[in-house]
Each structure stands twice: as C-alpha cells, then as structure tokens.
Amino acid sequence: MFGVSIDNILNLDQKYYTMEDYQSDIPRWCPGCGDNGILAAAQRLLREEQIAPEKTVFVSGIGCSSRFPHYMNTYGFHGLHGRALPIAEGIKIRRPDLHVFVNMGDGDCFSIGSAHWIHALRYNMNMVAMVHDNNIYGLTKKQASPTTPKGLKSNTTPKGAILNPLYPLCTTLGVSNVSFVANAVEWIPELLYDIIRQGFHHKGLAFIRILQRCPHYTPHVFDPLLNEPDNILLLSHENGMHISDPIKKMYKNVEEHDPSNMHKAREYAAMTDRIPVGILYRNENIPTYDDLRKPEKPNTPEVIHAALEQEFDKFGINPKTA
Amino acid sequence: MEKKTSGDAPAPQREAEQLLNELDRLLPSNPTKVAPPAETYHLWQASQTPVDDDTTIRRLKKQHLAFYVGQHKGQGAEGLLPPALALMQHGQTVYAPFPLFLGETPDRLLTPEALIHTLINTAAPDDDQREMFTRYLAAIGRRLTKDFRHISEPLEAPELIRKLAGELLKQHGSRNGDNHPAIQALDAFSRSDLPGGTFFGFGPHTPRQLIPAAHAAQWRQQVRQALDRLEELTLAVNGLIENATSPELLSQEADPPFGDSIDFGKLDEIVRSVKRGASLSAQRLERLTIIAESLNRWHHILESDAHTRDFLSRFIATDTRANATHDAQDEIIRLIRDYHMAELEVKHQFDDAIHGDLFRHFSLHMLSDTEARLIPPTLLFIDAEQAAEHQEALITRLLSGEKVKIIVLAHTLFKDKQLLPLYAWARMAVSLNRVSVVQAPLSDLADVWPRVLEALAEDGAAFFSFYAPASRVNEFLYSGSAAGARFFPVYAFSGNRDKALCDRFYISDTIQPRNAWHTHTLTVRHDSEETTLSCSFTAADFLLLHPDFTNHFYRLEADSPRDHLIPLAEFVQQEDDTEARIPYILSADADGALHTLLVDDFIARHTLAIHKDWRLLQEWAGIDNSYVARALRETRARIEADAREEIEQLKQHYEARLREDRAQLTEEIISNLAAGLLSDEMIRVGSGMTAPVAPPPEEKTEADTPAEPDPPVTDEKEEEEETLALEEAYIDTPLCTSCNECRNINSQMFAYDANKQAYIADVHAGTFKELVMAAENCPVKIIHPGKPVNPDEPGLEELIKRAEKYNG
C-alpha cells in the first residue's frame, strides 16, 4: 500500500564492498603459504568495516610478507628493507584521514628494522603493524633470522643456529609507550581475524605478531603447535578475546587474562613451553604521536587543490599591463 | 585551550589555528576508529511483567471495560502511529510517487522511480561505469521527488531532467574531473534524446491536469485512425481551390516552363484560362473553401497534444460553460460532415441536387458508430462536498446514457466524525452495472492508470473517485493508509457487460486483495532478540491518524494483564461474541517503542462496518466468494456421502467373504491336523517331541495386510540416506587458511565463500584422486574426501585407503 522508494530499490547511497573489491592480483606466494590466510583476514576486516579502498594504505618492507600491498587493491607502498614503519609514520602524520596498515617479516622488522620497530612502539602512532613471523628469511632462500630457533640448519648456519632466538613479545612489552601487543597464529583464521580487528579498533600502534608457516623452508618448525593443540594457550577475557565454543573444543588450553595487566602479559610473553595466542596487552590511554604532533595542514586532496590554485593564481596575466 | 590563546596571539597564528579548527571539523577526529552506526529507527518492545495482585487486576479490567463502553475517556494517543507507518515516517526512506510522468503515448504513466529505472535500462553505459551512472540518475530521481512533487503546473519532462542532469554534472564534474567515465556518460545522457512527456505534481489539481492531457492524447490518436484519409483529402481540396484561383499553376500545368522571353500568346492563354477558372462555378468554389477551412481546422486540432487539449477543454463541464460543450459537440459533427463532403468533392461526385439536402440536415444520428465515438465525453470535475450536495443529479447523469465521465476528488474522507459517502458512491456506481468505476488515492494512480484509460475510452459513463488528502503525516503515506485500511480501497470496475463479473473487477495488488486487511510483517526487538510480528493495518489504525478520534483510544498500562484482550483484526472476524474481550491495536511512538492501544466500541463498530464493506467488495471481485464456498461445501458433502456409501458396501462385501473363508480354513486345518497326527511318522516318533506344529493361523495375516502397508521398507530407506550423508566429502570451512592449495588442484571442485574460505562447490567436477590429493596437501588438514562418487574411477581401492586418514 505504500510502494517502495527509490532509495530502497536501488540502495545506492553507499556502495557495498565485497572481498573482491580489495583483491588486486592472484598472490604469487607458494602453495600452502600462511601469508594467504593473513591476506584473507585483512581483506575480510576491510570488508566487514566497509572501508573504502582509497582510504586505506598498506606499507611493507622487503620479504615474502612484503608482497602484501601488491595483492591489496588499496593504496600501497613497497618500501626498503626494514623501513616500512618510518614510511607508514610519514604517511600517517601527513594524511591522518587514511587507515594505515604495516606488513613486515621477522627478518624485516626484528633484524634490520629493529631500531624503527622500537621507536615506532614508543611513538605509538595510530596504525596496525603485522609481523609475519615464519622464523626464516624465505625470499632469499633460507637464511637464519632473529627468531630462527636454536639448532635449525640454514644457509647461513649450516651446522644449526647457534644463538637462542629473540622473543619479540618480550622486547615489545619492554618498550615505553607500548599500547597494544597481540600474538596470533595464521592457521586459526577466526582468532587471527578477531585479533586484527581489535588491533584495528585500538587507538595507537597495534603490534600483532603472527606465527606463519613457510611450507618451503621451515615446514616443520611449527609442527609442535600444529600437531599438539595443547601447546597453544588461548587468552580470553571480557575486555579481550571472546573465544567461540568450536575453537574451545579444539584448543582446550584457555586462560583468563586481563589485557590491562602488564606484569601478567610479560609472564605470558616469556613462556617457552606454550605459545600464548590472543591480546597480551592493551592500554587505550597512552597518547599517540599523531595526536600530539597534529600537522597544521594535513595533505588532504582539498588542501592540495587549494594550494595549487593559489600557486596558479600567481601566473595570472594582468590585462592592463599585457 | 585554543580559545584562550587566540585572543592575544598574532594574526597569522590565529589564522592558522582557525584553519586547523576548520580542518578538525572536516576530518573525523580519529579516523581509524569507525564511529558506531547511528541507531536507526526500529521497533522495540520493553519486557512486561503483568501485576499479579488480584484487586489491581480487577480494577484495571473494570477500567478497560468502562472505556470500551464509553463511560471512561481514553488517555489519548497523541504522537502514536501504526507500527508500519511509523517505520516509513521515522525511517530513512522517503516515499513519494510524485511527480508522475506521462509519456507521449498516454498509456505510459510512471512514478519517478519507474521512470528512473526505465532511463537506467535504456541509457546506461557499460558495466564499469554503470554503477556510478545509476547513482547519478538516482540522485536525479531524488531531486525530482524532493523538489518537484508538488508542482502546480505540468512541466516538460525532457527539459527538467536535462536541467537536473546539468546541475549534477556541474556539481560532480568539478570534483571528479570531466574525464570520469560516468561524468561523460551523464553528459552524453543530458544531451541525448530523452523520452518525451510531462511531469504532473501532487495536489487537488492533479486529476484536472492529468486526465484531460491523457484524454487529449487518446482522442487524437482515435481521430487520426477514424479519419485516416484526412491528410490526403486536405491536400486534394486545397489543390482544387488553388487550381480554380491561381493562374501560374494553370499555366505550369498547361505547358513546360518557358524561358526569359515573354510569350504574349501564352500570356493571353493564361488570362483566358483564369477567367474560365473563375467561371468554373462560384458555388462550388465557395463550398470548397468552407470544406478546406474545416479540414484545416482538423489539422490544427490534431497538430499537437496541446492543441487537442485546448479544443477538448470545451468538453470539461462547468456551470458557466454548459452551452459551450453543446457548441463544441456541434462543431465536431460539422467537421465530420465536411470531411465526408470533401471525399465526394475530390472525386467530383458532389451533386447539389442529390447531396445538398442531406448535408444541410446532417446531425448526430447520421454518424456511423466509429464516428459517433469521436465525440468526446464530457468531463465533469467536482469535489466531494459538491458531490454530496448534488447526489441525485449525479445519479441521473450517470443513468442518462450520456457520455459523461464524472471525476470526484476528495480532500478528506470525514466530515466531523462522519464518513463521507464517497465510498458508497463508487459502490453505488458499480451496482448500476453499466458504468465504469475507478477508485484510488492519488498516490496509487499509476497503478490503476490502465483502468482509467479504459474507462475514458469506453462509450458509456464512468465514475472516478480520487482521494488527495491534505498533508497530515505525509500525504502519500496517509492516502496509502486509507487504501490499506480499506477506507478507500484501490479498485476498478469495467462497465463492459460482455465480460464475467469477476473479470470486470480489479482490485490492486498493492493492497493485498486476498487479505481482510493489509498485513505487514515487522521486525521487533525484545531486548537483544529480534522477532517478527504480523501486523494488520485495520480501519482503527487509519482512524488513529486522525486527530478527531484520539479520545477513542486508550493506552494500555505497561503492567496490565492481557488475557481479556484480543487483537482488533481478530475481533471483527469472530463470529460469536459470547466471550467478551476488549479489542486492541498496536502502535509505535517516535522512539519506536510499541504500545498497546485499546479501542472503544465506536471504533470497533466502524472497523466492523468497513470490514463488512470490504468483504462485499471481495465477494464481488470473486475473492473468497461465499456463494462459491457454499456450493463447494455442498458438492464436497455430496461426494463424501457417495464415497462413504460405496466404502460401506465394499466393507460388507469383503466381510462376508472373510467369514466364508474363515469357516472353510478352520475345516481344512482340522482335517490336516487329524491327518498329521494319524500319519505313520508320528506314530513312529511316539512321544511326539518333534511333532510338526500346525501353520500359524493364516486368517490373521490375511485380515491385517490390507490395512497396513509394510512400514519397514521406509525405515530402510532413511537409514540408507543417513549413511550416504556421512560418506559425502566436506571441508571444515571456518578453519580454512585460504592458502589456495586445493584450488590449485581443481578450481571447479573447490571454491571460496564470501570470507575467502574454501568449500566443496561441486564434488562431481573432479576425480576422487584430486579430492584425496587436496586432502593430503591441505596444510591444516580440513578436507574430508568421504567416499568416491564415481565407482568406475581407476585405482579406487588405494585412494580409499589414502583417504581414510582424513575421514576421521
């Protein structure tokens, strides 16, 4: 009796973005690579939040993981080795209207980029940093990285890695101003997505370390976790992760952990027998650098346009003198 | 803080701060954080806990009853709307079926939304630009409904659309650049040939503008068909006249054109021929001139819709122009007469002695049927109050056999608290059985438009009853409500008596003709849960919109018991009222909270009356016809009785046979038993330890079998299906890490869902071997290959063994 209005029928006020809208190329990662799962989670996040591709930037360094921006149909910056974070910070400070994501590998972030890593944590700028940690340099064909477990044979350590690996979560939690630290594994897609989503909604730098299988160079390094689900410890809390029943059925080790408790977080980070998965630490009250040093003129298209107009006006010809 | 410093800061800094503040306003304060979507309007119901105190319950019930019988005033229902309407009113969408677009052919009457759809379908560019382009067109559509729905004068459609497109182009071109494909498409669109037509706004003037316009176009077409030789005749007659008067033409006809030199002989001939022409016949020339004038008049009238409309405007009856209509009718008869004369003249067959008298006394009775139909009907526009005053006159005119189309437009359905007889007039016109009737609120005009045209074109009288409410909630919603609540149902009736009665009726689908009331399915939230609620839009819901009736509603206390209440829609349908319960309707306030409103006897009676009227209409239209139902019931009863009788006979027949058989069998068994006992073997065994036992009594199985078909067969089948389901291949989709491994093996068999996680799209698209390979390669081991679907695949045994590991 009322009929339907134009808005109802066409529903055109807003475009609905699908996963395909964020997908640009078919990934050239090896079959079975864990990066695929992280890519799917990132695309799903953008789809669920309905963020316009043109309002999103993915920044990466060098490595397998750093091919990420090529497969996202958003803005992207494939940077220098270890320099993804400073580039992302530069983007964020000039264009606070963009959503910035950083994808790095373990070699990229924890080795050559470690200085930037530490300071990015301290600067606490509003973005999401994901470290794809496969415990090896994969792109350059198997060299030991800071997180390579002791004893693993590689091209640079033919008799097995000599040093104990770096515990990136411990390091992170030791830096001042750190505001969000989470650990994820790529083979539980539901938790991975949820962690990235919570990181995205966090105000400040969300540091997410993701354990990622490399089927080619470290095929068995995560076997203790994959074959023995009890080695994974899920952290659940009403302010943190909510873990669904099917997941609880598979991973029976679930502990309550309040993400605001730094001491407890450090305990979990230092664990070696079991791997904690979930949000270790979160503090929304730490000031972000982009708030403290807000630019007077962010480079939004409108501002650039106005500046250009102003410049062009200088070339105006005065008809009286011509 | 910024404000404090700005007072004494130097000017450039102040400017910078100001700019910063402005930018702050432009940008979301924290862009990474998506603000939760604003809570949209929705219906909800707070949880209710009825009181369990007996005295309170008794007091409340008493109060409700007192209200129902009119001894207690209602609390009023200001600010409450029927839930379905509240959703439209408070929701985001704006419903406006105006301005209506009338195309060049009168049968195209489109609402803006339909028009935009047509435009998109005809003018949309390629796929990649289509969406943006569609969005622009939708924006044009929105502009149309927003700014032009109330235009008081018809507007030319192509110009208006072009203008709106131009404005949009200017606005978006500066932002997106002229090279954007959608902008180019829009540009091309605004310069292309748009469908010709006119826009009509909503208001009391709508029928007065729309119907004559459509009628003019229709009539013009009809005349052109009936007088198909008009063009030819006009040329011929004008030619004859020129022949008789123009010397140049005569000379040209006589000889090929001559050169520069003056041929005096030729000149002399011309002069003489002109004289001859003039002397041809002064009488005939005069006649020809008259005919030519008439034919030119026809041409002028038929030149464009506007001219036709001007001419036909003389057929719109008003008190002052009663004579004008008559004159106009005479003029048409004269014009038709001259057309016939022209036909004779062109053939040089007109003989004054034979034809002169005939044509001098030419009148309406000498027209053929087709020609008689060319005389347009008289259009009579009146409003409902006038109609109420002159009821008898209206009926007389409808019955007079005159070609008259009466168009009644009501602004309100009520006079004080009384329903205007408008509703009854349309029904009365239907009952005359030879008058075409169309009734619709203006908001549903596009829906009944074909019927309007039919009724206009038909020979007899027609009665149109339209309703255009003055703005109340939203005039379109309000009039739509009148239709849905059956106060003003959208229906049409054809005056053509050759068709079956139910075919002559048309009830618009938009008002759900099969239901007692227009019923909406609404989503209601209780705390966090969502339930659906089927909600009838009753006459009481419509009365709720009317401020005069608010005292007849009583807002139920939140803690009141409800066992003595009944929904109004059920109340009017219950056959016996032995169980006295108080009817109620639901309503929603501006926040979306649902309230229960009791209605009093006055409203209930009105609702019942409207309901009965509607039932009558339904029966007329052949919906749930009680006569048909009764006939069906009787036929069914007869068939059932016959069947029962037959069954009884069969039963008796078989029982008799059973008795016979049983007697015979018993005899046989006894004789067999006796034979067995007395046999040699039995004697040898002596003690009778392994004595053969008599067969089980057969009569029992025989009697049971016809009654019960074998049940175990079906059980077996079910089991089979269950095991099959276990053997099917599947993937634990939520655990998929999107690594593409399986899709690399076979992209037909494995597919990604909306979250980019794999599932088995078609198990037949590949071999079992591929399935097993995928299961083995899957890094998270979530592919379960099940059992092979193709039993002929080579090497199955080994594959099944390999698959076992993944089926657990």
Side-chain angles (χ1 to χ4, degrees):
Chain A
M1 82 189 179
F2 300 131
V4 195
S5 85
I6 289 179
D7 305 77
N8 266 353
I9 283 198
L10 300 173
N11 193 17
L12 289 165
D13 269 349
Q14 229 168 4
K15 176 179 165 61
Y16 181 79
Y17 297 106
T18 61
M19 294 274 277
E20 283 72 34
D21 291 326
Y22 300 108
Q23 173 83 46
S24 68
D25 226 338
I26 294 169
R28 250 188 276 161
W29 289 311
C30 309
C33 179
D35 284 334
N36 289 299
I38 303 172
L39 182 70
Q43 288 171 347
R44 188 171 155 205
L45 172 76
L46 297 189
R47 196 264 321 261
E48 297 289 315
E49 303 287 336
Q50 285 298 307
I51 297 167
E54 66 270 19
K55 283 285 171 201
T56 316
V57 194
F58 277 80
V59 184
S60 68
I62 295 292
C64 287
S65 62
S66 301
R67 293 198 58 77
F68 210 92
H70 294 265
Y71 308 137
M72 294 296 298
N73 191 18
T74 61
Y75 285 119
F77 199 114
H78 194 162
L80 295 176
H81 198 26
R83 271 67 184 169
L85 282 165
I87 292 165
E89 285 161 357
I91 293 170
K92 188 70 190 178
I93 200 90
R94 292 307 288 171
R95 290 292 304 274
D97 57 320
L98 298 180
H99 304 285
V100 181
F101 294 81
V102 188
N103 290 80
M104 299 165 286
D106 46 329
D108 198 27
C109 180
F110 304 145
S111 180
I112 189 172
S114 51
H116 300 305
W117 167 40
I118 306 288
H119 289 287
L121 290 169
R122 190 166 69 94
Y123 275 48
N124 190 32
M125 292 183 70
N126 200 356
M127 55 174 99
V128 180
M130 290 174 252
V131 180
H132 305 211
D133 186 355
N134 57 359
N135 294 2
I136 202 77
Y137 282 96
L139 191 75
T140 49
K141 307 198 159 89
K142 201 172 188 184
Q143 289 84 22
S145 83
T147 50
T148 304
K150 193 174 175 183
L152 188 110
K153 285 181 182 169
S154 71
N155 292 337
T156 46
T157 54
K159 291 182 179 169
I162 306 156
L163 294 174
N164 266 330
L166 178 80
Y167 295 126
L169 296 175
C170 286
T171 317
T172 312
L173 286 167
V175 179
S176 58
N177 278 349
V178 66
S179 68
F180 185 102
V181 180
N183 197 28
V185 292
E186 131 287 313
W187 57 88
I188 315 179
E190 191 185 321
L191 295 185
L192 175 66
Y193 164 70
D194 199 24
I195 290 172
I196 297 180
R197 184 181 65 83
Q198 299 211 26
F200 172 75
H201 286 295
H202 170 72
K203 187 177 186 310
L205 180 81
F207 176 83
I208 303 165
R209 182 245 207 159
I210 304 163
L211 294 183
Q212 171 234 328
R213 289 159 301 129
C214 175
H216 214 277
Y217 296 114
T218 54
H220 302 298
V221 84
F222 295 121
D223 276 359
L225 300 177
L226 279 165
N227 298 339
E228 278 299 321
D230 285 354
N231 283 339
I232 286 182
L233 173 65
L234 301 185
L235 303 180
S236 150
H237 193 263
E238 55 178 343
N239 294 330
M241 306 273 300
H242 300 273
I243 291 160
S244 65
D245 290 338
I247 299 270
K248 274 185 189 163
K249 222 178 215 173
M250 284 184 72
Y251 299 94
K252 298 195 175 64
N253 258 334
V254 182
E255 275 186 24
E256 284 285 306
H257 166 59
D258 182 358
S260 63
N261 188 341
M262 171 66 101
H263 295 292
K264 196 79 184 146
R266 285 182 177 149
E267 260 176 51
Y268 282 121
M271 261 183 187
T272 48
D273 51 342
R274 288 182 298 178
I275 295 289
V277 168
I279 298 166
L280 279 88
Y281 182 66
R282 171 159 63 190
N283 185 350
E284 293 270 356
N285 298 323
I286 291 176
T288 63
Y289 189 74
D290 33 348
D291 274 357
L292 296 172
R293 294 292 301 272
K294 211 185 261 177
E296 282 183 5
K297 286 187 181 180
N299 276 0
T300 53
E302 291 78 18
V303 173
I304 294 171
H305 194 80
L308 280 177
E309 287 290 325
Q310 204 181 351
E311 282 304 310
F312 287 145
D313 283 348
K314 290 179 186 166
F315 295 97
I317 294 164
N318 187 346
K320 278 180 190 165
T321 57
Chain B
M1 212 171 83
E2 279 157 353
K3 266 185 190 162
K4 245 186 256 171
T5 53
S6 64
D8 42 32
Q13 195 182 332
R14 259 211 311 278
E15 249 171 52
E17 269 172 19
Q18 213 170 347
L19 183 68
L20 203 62
N21 286 347
E22 266 172 35
L23 285 169
D24 276 349
R25 254 186 293 120
L26 282 174
L27 294 169
S29 59
N30 177 17
T32 346
K33 205 143 200 185
V34 175
E39 195 76 300
T40 48
Y41 186 85
H42 64 266
L43 299 174
W44 56 276
Q45 185 147 43
S47 52
Q48 291 145 340
T49 41
V51 284
D52 50 1
D53 168 21
D54 270 354
T55 50
T56 321
I57 290 178
R58 210 166 301 131
R59 182 180 58 80
L60 281 174
K61 285 191 177 175
K62 203 170 160 194
Q63 200 171 327
H64 297 163
L65 197 64
F67 161 74
Y68 180 74
V69 297
Q71 286 171 5
H72 188 288
K73 270 272 176 276
Q75 286 165 324
E78 276 92 11
L80 293 180
L81 287 176
L85 204 58
L87 273 179
M88 303 287 290
Q89 174 71 8
H90 297 296
Q92 299 282 321
T93 51
V94 184
Y95 161 65
F98 272 82
L100 285 171
F101 169 86
L102 181 68
E104 268 164 347
T105 50
D107 55 329
R108 274 187 94 196
L109 186 76
L110 303 174
T111 57
E113 127 203 0
L115 176 66
I116 294 298
H117 268 292
T118 327
L119 288 180
I120 289 171
N121 289 338
T122 49
D126 305 342
D127 282 349
D128 49 335
Q129 306 150 9
R130 188 187 172 95
E131 188 188 314
M132 186 68 76
F133 179 70
T134 312
R135 255 192 249 193
Y136 286 143
L137 278 193
I140 292 179
R142 269 195 296 274
R143 269 293 304 280
L144 271 179
T145 51
K146 193 165 142 260
D147 298 340
F148 297 92
R149 59 165 112 159
H150 285 127
I151 44 172
S152 55
E153 285 299 320
L155 287 178
E156 283 299 313
E159 267 103 88
L160 183 58
I161 296 178
R162 211 165 275 143
K163 192 177 129 221
L164 293 182
E167 281 172 20
L168 201 67
L169 199 66
K170 220 182 275 170
Q171 195 184 336
H172 287 253
S174 65
R175 201 181 322 150
N176 292 347
D178 294 341
N179 289 334
H180 193 285
I183 293 284
Q184 282 174 345
L186 194 63
D187 191 22
F189 166 76
S190 66
R191 274 186 265 124
S192 66
D193 283 340
L194 293 168
T198 320
F199 281 123
F200 293 87
F202 178 89
H205 51 268
T206 317
R208 270 173 196 268
Q209 291 171 351
L210 195 54
I211 289 183
H215 182 227
Q218 211 180 16
W219 186 74
R220 188 167 145 226
Q221 224 171 339
Q222 198 188 346
V223 173
R224 278 207 181 283
Q225 270 168 14
L227 311 182
D228 55 344
R229 290 192 59 217
L230 184 63
E231 203 78 23
E232 201 184 315
L233 287 179
T234 315
L235 283 178
V237 169
N238 284 341
L240 279 177
I241 293 172
E242 270 185 60
N243 270 350
T245 48
S246 135
E248 288 87 354
L249 265 175
L250 277 177
S251 68
Q252 272 172 12
E253 253 176 33
D255 250 335
F258 43 86
D260 286 349
S261 60
I262 298 171
D263 184 340
F264 287 98
K266 187 69 86 179
L267 197 63
D268 181 45
E269 202 181 306
I270 290 169
V271 172
R272 265 188 285 121
S273 75
V274 170
K275 272 186 185 160
R276 197 175 62 228
S279 67
L280 175 83
S281 154
Q283 228 178 353
R284 184 166 178 225
L285 192 62
E286 198 183 327
R287 215 165 47 226
L288 277 174
T289 323
I290 292 172
I291 292 171
E293 267 171 24
S294 281
L295 294 180
N296 287 336
R297 170 96 176 118
W298 265 130
H299 266 281
H300 177 74
I301 292 171
L302 300 180
E303 197 171 62
S304 75
D305 274 348
H307 288 173
T308 316
R309 204 155 56 227
D310 281 347
F311 178 71
L312 289 184
S313 70
R314 293 156 68 192
F315 287 89
I316 297 173
T318 53
D319 291 340
T320 51
R321 282 200 300 197
N323 287 330
T325 313
H326 200 260
D327 289 349
Q329 194 173 325
D330 283 349
E331 185 177 345
I332 289 194
I333 297 171
R334 243 184 354 258
L335 289 176
I336 293 172
R337 179 195 70 184
D338 291 347
Y339 175 85
H340 285 293
M341 279 168 75
E343 278 200 87
L344 286 177
E345 283 288 358
V346 168
K347 291 185 212 151
H348 298 279
Q349 285 172 349
F350 190 88
D351 185 348
D352 197 46
I354 308 168
H355 302 115
D357 235 17
L358 181 75
F359 282 114
R360 265 192 290 282
H361 297 109
F362 198 83
S363 74
L364 183 62
H365 309 291
M366 291 157 84
L367 296 179
S368 73
D369 281 356
T370 348
E371 285 158 6
R373 238 170 260 144
L374 290 187
I375 295 179
T378 313
L379 299 180
L380 180 60
F381 290 97
I382 45 174
D383 60 31
E385 282 97 43
Q386 278 176 312
E389 272 173 40
H390 306 291
Q391 277 195 61
E392 283 92 28
L394 276 186
I395 300 171
T396 319
R397 281 201 89 164
L398 282 178
L399 285 173
S400 66
E402 189 189 345
K403 262 170 106 171
V404 61
K405 314 286 177 188
I406 300 179
I407 298 127
V408 180
L409 180 73
H411 308 294
T412 170
L413 296 178
F414 301 101
K415 201 170 185 182
D416 301 327
K417 283 190 179 184
Q418 288 298 312
L419 195 59
L420 273 180
L422 191 69
Y423 182 84
W425 293 331
R427 279 239 311 278
M428 177 204 68
V430 169
S431 61
L432 294 180
N433 199 19
R434 54 174 139 160
V435 177
S436 289
V437 179
V438 176
Q439 171 171 298
L442 279 192
S443 57
D444 285 285
L445 191 55
D447 188 55
V448 289
W449 188 244
R451 320 284 154 176
V452 172
L453 291 183
E454 228 170 76
L456 276 179
E458 246 161 39
D459 273 346
F463 184 85
F464 300 91
S465 136
F466 294 125
Y467 171 47
S471 172
R472 210 174 287 277
V473 189
N474 158 337
E475 59 273 42
F476 306 121
L477 290 185
Y478 192 74
S479 56
S481 310
R486 318 306 191 204
F487 264 95
F488 205 78
V490 186
Y491 74 94
F493 175 74
S494 157
N496 182 351
R497 268 177 288 180
D498 298 337
K499 290 195 256 180
L501 190 62
C502 64
D503 291 337
R504 292 163 68 184
F505 254 100
Y506 166 80
I507 302 186
S508 166
D509 279 340
T510 54
I511 61 165
Q512 302 184 352
R514 305 207 147 262
N515 294 357
W517 306 102
H518 194 287
T519 307
H520 298 268
T521 308
L522 305 167
T523 311
V524 181
R525 290 192 201 166
H526 293 268
D527 300 330
S528 59
E529 280 174 37
E530 284 196 347
T531 51
T532 52
L533 177 75
S534 178
C535 194
S536 295
F537 197 92
T538 61
D541 287 273
F542 182 68
L543 291 176
L544 176 62
L545 301 175
H546 208 279
D548 288 353
F549 297 100
T550 43
N551 278 342
H552 296 278
F553 295 93
Y554 178 97
R555 200 187 290 213
L556 192 70
E557 300 82 359
D559 55 353
S560 161
R562 277 150 196 280
D563 53 343
H564 61 301
L565 304 182
I566 179 171
L568 183 62
E570 288 174 30
F571 179 83
V572 293
Q573 263 173 338
Q574 66 184 4
E575 310 245 315
D576 56 336
D577 44 2
T578 47
E579 201 183 350
R581 289 202 279 175
I582 299 173
Y584 71 89
I585 58 169
L586 287 176
S587 65
D589 62 18
D591 294 329
L594 283 181
H595 295 277
T596 306
L597 286 181
L598 302 186
V599 303
D600 69 357
D601 185 44
F602 173 84
I603 301 276
R605 263 188 294 121
H606 271 77
T607 311
L608 191 62
I610 294 285
H611 176 65
K612 280 185 175 155
D613 279 345
W614 169 249
R615 274 297 300 141
L616 187 69
L617 199 61
Q618 274 186 322
E619 292 217 0
W620 279 357
I623 296 169
D624 295 340
N625 194 307
S626 59
Y627 293 94
V628 175
R630 200 163 66 203
L632 264 176
R633 227 172 16 244
E634 280 167 8
T635 318
R636 177 170 298 154
R638 206 178 54 240
I639 292 173
E640 273 175 4
D642 287 353
R644 225 175 292 128
E645 206 171 300
E646 205 172 316
I647 289 170
E648 200 57 42
Q649 280 179 2
L650 280 172
K651 222 182 196 170
Q652 280 174 6
H653 173 70
Y654 281 106
E655 267 174 13
R657 273 190 59 183
L658 207 65
R659 266 196 301 280
E660 257 175 47
D661 288 353
R662 197 175 284 166
Q664 201 182 336
L665 256 160
T666 330
E667 260 173 42
E668 267 179 38
I669 289 168
I670 293 172
S671 64
N672 281 353
L673 213 67
L677 283 173
L678 296 177
S679 69
D680 297 348
E681 209 181 328
M682 281 308 287
I683 292 165
R684 224 181 294 130
V685 171
S687 64
M689 262 167 63
T690 53
V693 184
E698 280 175 45
E699 71 249 34
K700 198 176 174 189
T701 53
E702 211 178 276
D704 279 351
T705 35
E708 270 181 44
D710 303 359
V713 178
T714 48
D715 277 359
E716 244 173 50
K717 258 187 199 162
E718 270 171 27
E719 261 171 44
E720 241 174 55
E721 267 170 29
E722 259 174 39
T723 46
L724 264 181
L726 277 174
E727 285 169 1
E728 260 172 36
Y730 72 99
I731 295 184
D732 278 331
T733 304
L735 295 179
C736 170
T737 61
S738 329
C739 75
N740 231 16
E741 187 87 352
C742 53
R743 288 193 20 104
N744 279 343
I745 291 171
N746 186 335
S747 59
Q748 307 271 303
M749 187 188 260
F750 303 99
Y752 279 144
D753 67 1
N755 285 338
K756 210 179 163 190
Q757 292 181 307
Y759 66 97
I760 293 185
D762 182 7
V763 77
H764 300 277
T767 60
F768 188 61
K769 188 176 175 188
E770 285 173 330
L771 201 51
V772 175
M773 265 166 62
E776 285 169 346
N777 284 354
C778 176
V780 277
K781 309 289 177 226
I782 52 165
I783 302 179
H784 306 277
K787 290 266 155 28
V789 283
N790 176 12
D792 301 330
E793 204 178 305
L796 263 193
E797 269 179 34
E798 186 225 329
L799 285 173
I800 290 173
K801 209 175 284 169
R802 273 163 64 186
E804 257 171 27
K805 221 186 338 174
Y806 305 100
N807 276 336

